[in-house]
Amino acid sequence: RQRAAAAAALAQVEQLRAAASGHAAESAEAVKALHGAERAAATMVLAERQRGAQAAAEAAAELATARAEAAALLAAAHNAEVGAEARGSEARLQLQAASVEAAEAIAQIEGARAEAAVARARGEADAKALRAAHDAAVEARGNIRVFARVRPPLPKEMAEGGLAAISLPARPEDGSLGLRSVSEGKAGLFSFDRVYGPAVATAELYDEGVAPVVKSFCDGFSVCVFAYGQTGSGKTH
Protein backbone atom coordinates (compact mmCIF):
# COMPACT_ATOMS: atom_id res chain seq x y z
CA ARG A 1 0.00 0.00 0.00
CA GLN A 2 2.86 2.39 0.71
CA ARG A 3 4.26 1.76 -2.84
CA ALA A 4 0.88 2.47 -4.34
CA ALA A 5 0.61 5.64 -2.36
CA ALA A 6 4.09 6.66 -3.44
CA ALA A 7 3.27 5.93 -7.08
CA ALA A 8 0.08 7.96 -6.80
CA ALA A 9 2.07 10.78 -5.25
CA LEU A 10 4.60 10.63 -8.09
CA ALA A 11 1.79 10.67 -10.60
CA GLN A 12 0.37 13.76 -8.97
CA VAL A 13 3.80 15.38 -9.02
CA GLU A 14 4.12 14.63 -12.71
CA GLN A 15 0.71 16.10 -13.35
CA LEU A 16 1.66 19.17 -11.36
CA ARG A 17 4.91 19.41 -13.38
CA ALA A 18 2.96 19.10 -16.65
CA ALA A 19 0.50 21.71 -15.51
CA ALA A 20 3.35 23.99 -14.47
CA SER A 21 5.01 23.46 -17.84
CA GLY A 22 1.72 24.34 -19.57
CA HIS A 23 1.35 27.42 -17.46
CA ALA A 24 4.94 28.42 -18.19
CA ALA A 25 4.31 28.04 -21.92
CA GLU A 26 1.14 30.06 -21.65
CA SER A 27 3.03 32.66 -19.65
CA ALA A 28 5.73 32.81 -22.31
CA GLU A 29 3.09 33.23 -25.04
CA ALA A 30 1.39 35.91 -22.96
CA VAL A 31 4.69 37.68 -22.44
CA LYS A 32 5.41 37.44 -26.16
CA ALA A 33 1.97 38.79 -27.00
CA LEU A 34 2.42 41.55 -24.45
CA HIS A 35 5.75 42.54 -26.01
CA GLY A 36 4.09 42.56 -29.49
CA ALA A 37 1.27 44.69 -28.19
CA GLU A 38 3.76 47.03 -26.55
CA ARG A 39 5.75 47.34 -29.84
CA ALA A 40 2.51 47.95 -31.83
CA ALA A 41 1.41 50.55 -29.29
CA ALA A 42 4.81 52.23 -29.47
CA THR A 43 4.63 52.25 -33.29
CA MET A 44 1.12 53.73 -33.21
CA VAL A 45 2.15 56.36 -30.67
CA LEU A 46 5.17 57.26 -32.80
CA ALA A 47 3.02 57.49 -35.92
CA GLU A 48 0.44 59.60 -34.09
CA ARG A 49 3.22 61.83 -32.80
CA GLN A 50 4.63 62.19 -36.30
CA ARG A 51 1.18 62.99 -37.75
CA GLY A 52 0.56 65.39 -34.91
CA ALA A 53 3.92 67.09 -35.53
CA GLN A 54 3.16 67.32 -39.28
CA ALA A 55 -0.32 68.72 -38.59
CA ALA A 56 1.15 71.17 -36.12
CA ALA A 57 3.73 72.26 -38.70
CA GLU A 58 1.02 72.68 -41.34
CA ALA A 59 -1.15 74.59 -38.88
CA ALA A 60 1.83 76.81 -37.99
CA ALA A 61 2.49 77.45 -41.69
CA GLU A 62 -1.17 78.29 -42.30
CA LEU A 63 -1.16 80.55 -39.27
CA ALA A 64 1.95 82.31 -40.53
CA THR A 65 0.37 82.74 -43.97
CA ALA A 66 -2.82 84.06 -42.39
CA ARG A 67 -0.80 86.47 -40.25
CA ALA A 68 1.11 87.68 -43.33
CA GLU A 69 -2.14 88.17 -45.28
CA ALA A 70 -3.69 89.98 -42.32
CA ALA A 71 -0.62 92.21 -42.08
CA ALA A 72 -0.81 92.93 -45.82
CA LEU A 73 -4.52 93.74 -45.51
CA LEU A 74 -3.85 96.02 -42.57
CA ALA A 75 -1.08 97.78 -44.52
CA ALA A 76 -3.35 98.16 -47.57
CA ALA A 77 -6.15 99.50 -45.38
CA HIS A 78 -3.75 101.95 -43.77
CA ASN A 79 -2.46 103.08 -47.14
CA ALA A 80 -6.02 103.42 -48.43
CA GLU A 81 -6.97 105.44 -45.37
CA VAL A 82 -3.94 107.68 -45.81
CA GLY A 83 -4.69 108.06 -49.52
CA ALA A 84 -8.34 108.81 -48.79
CA GLU A 85 -7.34 111.45 -46.27
CA ALA A 86 -4.95 112.98 -48.79
CA ARG A 87 -7.58 112.94 -51.53
CA GLY A 88 -10.13 114.33 -49.10
CA SER A 89 -7.78 117.17 -48.20
CA GLU A 90 -7.11 117.86 -51.87
CA ALA A 91 -10.83 117.73 -52.62
CA ARG A 92 -11.55 120.15 -49.77
CA LEU A 93 -8.91 122.52 -51.10
CA GLN A 94 -10.35 122.26 -54.61
CA LEU A 95 -13.85 122.81 -53.23
CA GLN A 96 -12.70 125.88 -51.34
CA ALA A 97 -10.99 127.22 -54.47
CA ALA A 98 -14.11 126.49 -56.53
CA SER A 99 -16.25 128.24 -53.92
CA VAL A 100 -14.01 131.29 -54.09
CA GLU A 101 -14.12 131.26 -57.90
CA ALA A 102 -17.90 130.83 -57.84
CA ALA A 103 -18.25 133.75 -55.44
CA GLU A 104 -16.05 135.88 -57.69
CA ALA A 105 -18.04 134.79 -60.75
CA ILE A 106 -21.31 135.63 -58.99
CA ALA A 107 -19.94 139.02 -58.04
CA GLN A 108 -18.85 139.61 -61.63
CA ILE A 109 -22.26 138.51 -62.90
CA GLU A 110 -24.02 140.82 -60.48
CA GLY A 111 -21.73 143.64 -61.56
CA ALA A 112 -22.38 142.83 -65.20
CA ARG A 113 -26.12 142.75 -64.54
CA ALA A 114 -25.94 146.11 -62.86
CA GLU A 115 -23.92 147.52 -65.75
CA ALA A 116 -26.33 145.96 -68.22
CA ALA A 117 -29.28 147.49 -66.37
CA VAL A 118 -27.60 150.90 -66.49
CA ALA A 119 -26.72 150.42 -70.15
CA ARG A 120 -30.27 149.26 -70.89
CA ALA A 121 -31.70 152.29 -69.16
CA ARG A 122 -29.33 154.55 -71.08
CA GLY A 123 -30.13 152.71 -74.31
CA GLU A 124 -33.84 153.07 -73.72
CA ALA A 125 -33.39 156.75 -72.97
CA ASP A 126 -31.23 157.19 -76.07
CA ALA A 127 -33.70 155.23 -78.18
CA LYS A 128 -36.55 157.32 -76.84
CA ALA A 129 -34.63 160.50 -77.64
CA LEU A 130 -33.80 159.17 -81.12
CA ARG A 131 -37.44 158.28 -81.73
CA ALA A 132 -38.51 161.71 -80.58
CA ALA A 133 -35.93 163.35 -82.83
CA HIS A 134 -36.94 161.11 -85.74
CA ASP A 135 -40.63 161.87 -85.21
CA ALA A 136 -39.88 165.55 -85.02
CA ALA A 137 -37.87 165.34 -88.24
CA VAL A 138 -40.64 163.40 -89.98
CA GLU A 139 -43.25 165.89 -88.84
CA ALA A 140 -41.04 168.78 -89.90
CA ARG A 141 -40.68 167.31 -93.37
CA GLY A 142 -44.35 166.41 -93.47
CA ASN A 143 -46.25 163.29 -92.57
CA ILE A 144 -47.40 162.97 -96.17
CA ARG A 145 -44.69 163.31 -98.77
CA VAL A 146 -44.97 162.86 -102.50
CA PHE A 147 -41.93 162.04 -104.62
CA ALA A 148 -41.74 162.03 -108.39
CA ARG A 149 -39.32 159.85 -110.25
CA VAL A 150 -38.71 159.97 -113.98
CA ARG A 151 -37.76 156.60 -115.37
CA PRO A 152 -35.33 156.16 -118.26
CA PRO A 153 -37.01 155.92 -121.70
CA LEU A 154 -37.35 152.51 -123.29
CA PRO A 155 -35.49 151.75 -126.54
CA LYS A 156 -38.84 151.49 -128.33
CA GLU A 157 -39.86 154.90 -127.09
CA MET A 158 -36.55 156.37 -128.16
CA ALA A 159 -37.02 154.90 -131.65
CA GLU A 160 -40.59 156.15 -132.04
CA GLY A 161 -39.86 159.64 -130.71
CA GLY A 162 -42.67 161.83 -129.46
CA LEU A 163 -41.45 161.79 -125.84
CA ALA A 164 -42.27 164.74 -123.66
CA ALA A 165 -39.53 167.19 -122.91
CA ILE A 166 -38.69 166.93 -119.21
CA SER A 167 -37.28 169.73 -117.10
CA LEU A 168 -35.67 168.42 -113.91
CA PRO A 169 -34.65 170.56 -110.92
CA ALA A 170 -31.04 171.14 -110.10
CA ARG A 171 -31.57 169.35 -106.77
CA PRO A 172 -34.20 166.74 -105.85
CA GLU A 173 -35.39 168.78 -102.88
CA ASP A 174 -36.30 171.71 -105.15
CA GLY A 175 -39.33 169.63 -106.11
CA SER A 176 -40.28 171.19 -109.45
CA LEU A 177 -40.92 169.06 -112.54
CA GLY A 178 -41.61 170.60 -115.93
CA LEU A 179 -43.18 168.65 -118.78
CA ARG A 180 -43.82 169.76 -122.39
CA SER A 181 -45.51 167.58 -124.96
CA VAL A 182 -43.67 167.69 -128.26
CA SER A 183 -46.63 166.45 -130.26
CA GLU A 184 -49.32 168.58 -128.63
CA GLY A 185 -47.24 171.54 -127.65
CA LYS A 186 -48.67 171.60 -124.14
CA ALA A 187 -46.50 172.36 -121.10
CA GLY A 188 -46.96 172.11 -117.36
CA LEU A 189 -45.03 172.69 -114.15
CA PHE A 190 -45.67 170.36 -111.21
CA SER A 191 -44.50 170.58 -107.58
CA PHE A 192 -43.47 167.60 -105.37
CA ASP A 193 -41.57 167.18 -102.15
CA ARG A 194 -38.67 165.73 -104.13
CA VAL A 195 -38.04 165.04 -107.80
CA TYR A 196 -35.60 162.37 -109.05
CA GLY A 197 -34.30 162.00 -112.57
CA PRO A 198 -33.56 158.81 -114.52
CA ALA A 199 -29.94 158.69 -113.33
CA VAL A 200 -30.86 158.48 -109.62
CA ALA A 201 -30.33 155.02 -108.07
CA THR A 202 -33.09 153.25 -106.19
CA ALA A 203 -30.96 153.18 -103.01
CA GLU A 204 -30.95 156.99 -102.89
CA LEU A 205 -34.70 157.10 -103.27
CA TYR A 206 -35.08 154.48 -100.55
CA ASP A 207 -32.78 156.28 -98.11
CA GLU A 208 -34.67 159.54 -98.44
CA GLY A 209 -38.25 158.44 -98.92
CA VAL A 210 -38.75 154.89 -97.59
CA ALA A 211 -36.24 154.34 -94.79
CA PRO A 212 -37.75 157.01 -92.48
CA VAL A 213 -41.18 155.47 -92.95
CA VAL A 214 -39.84 152.00 -92.13
CA LYS A 215 -38.21 153.45 -89.01
CA SER A 216 -41.52 154.95 -87.93
CA PHE A 217 -43.19 151.57 -88.53
CA CYS A 218 -40.60 149.86 -86.31
CA ASP A 219 -41.36 152.46 -83.63
CA GLY A 220 -45.01 151.41 -83.66
CA PHE A 221 -46.61 153.91 -86.03
CA SER A 222 -48.99 153.03 -88.84
CA VAL A 223 -47.41 153.90 -92.18
CA CYS A 224 -48.13 153.46 -95.86
CA VAL A 225 -45.90 153.51 -98.93
CA PHE A 226 -47.31 153.07 -102.40
CA ALA A 227 -46.28 153.79 -105.96
CA TYR A 228 -48.81 155.59 -108.15
CA GLY A 229 -48.85 155.96 -111.90
CA GLN A 230 -50.50 154.73 -115.05
CA THR A 231 -49.49 151.50 -116.77
CA GLY A 232 -45.98 151.79 -118.15
CA SER A 233 -45.09 154.80 -116.06
CA GLY A 234 -42.31 152.96 -114.26
CA LYS A 235 -43.76 151.86 -110.92
CA THR A 236 -41.87 148.55 -111.01
CA HIS A 237 -38.66 150.32 -111.98
Side-chain angles (χ1 to χ4, degrees):
R1 286 195 297 267
Q2 292 180 348
R3 288 181 179 177
L10 288 174
Q12 290 179 353
V13 169
E14 291 296 331
Q15 290 178 354
L16 291 174
R17 285 180 177 177
S21 297
H23 288 305
E26 291 178 358
S27 297
E29 292 294 334
V31 169
K32 184 178 180 181
L34 178 62
H35 288 317
E38 288 179 349
R39 286 193 297 272
T43 302
M44 293 176 62
V45 169
L46 180 60
E48 289 296 329
R49 285 180 179 178
Q50 290 178 350
R51 286 195 293 270
Q54 183 177 0
E58 292 177 355
E62 292 179 357
L63 179 61
T65 302
R67 286 178 177 176
E69 292 177 353
L73 291 174
L74 288 175
H78 177 70
N79 294 332
E81 183 179 1
V82 172
E85 291 180 356
R87 288 191 295 272
S89 300
E90 184 178 358
R92 284 192 293 270
L93 292 176
Q94 292 178 353
L95 180 61
Q96 292 176 357
S99 299
V100 173
E101 292 179 357
E104 293 177 354
I106 292 173
Q108 292 177 358
I109 291 173
E110 294 297 331
R113 285 179 178 175
E115 293 178 358
V118 174
R120 187 182 304 111
R122 290 177 180 174
E124 292 176 354
D126 294 340
K128 185 176 181 181
L130 288 174
R131 284 195 298 270
H134 173 74
D135 296 340
V138 171
E139 291 178 359
R141 288 181 296 187
N143 288 328
I144 299 176
R145 305 177 71 193
V146 181
F147 292 0
R149 186 184 190 189
V150 180
R151 67 168 174 78
L154 299 175
K156 181 180 179 180
E157 294 171 340
M158 293 290 292
E160 292 178 351
L163 292 175
I166 301 173
S167 177
L168 296 173
R171 299 178 303 171
E173 57 268 24
D174 291 340
S176 61
L177 176 62
L179 296 176
R180 184 173 60 84
S181 175
V182 177
S183 59
E184 299 179 1
K186 296 180 181 180
L189 183 63
F190 304 92
S191 296
F192 300 93
D193 290 298
R194 297 180 75 88
V195 176
Y196 295 95
V200 174
T202 303
E204 182 178 350
L205 178 62
Y206 176 85
D207 291 340
E208 179 60 31
V210 182
V213 179
V214 175
K215 179 66 170 60
S216 297
F217 172 78
C218 294
D219 291 338
F221 293 94
S222 298
V223 300
C224 178
V225 177
F226 68 93
Y228 175 80
Q230 67 183 24
T231 301
S233 62
K235 298 186 294 298
T236 303
H237 177 75

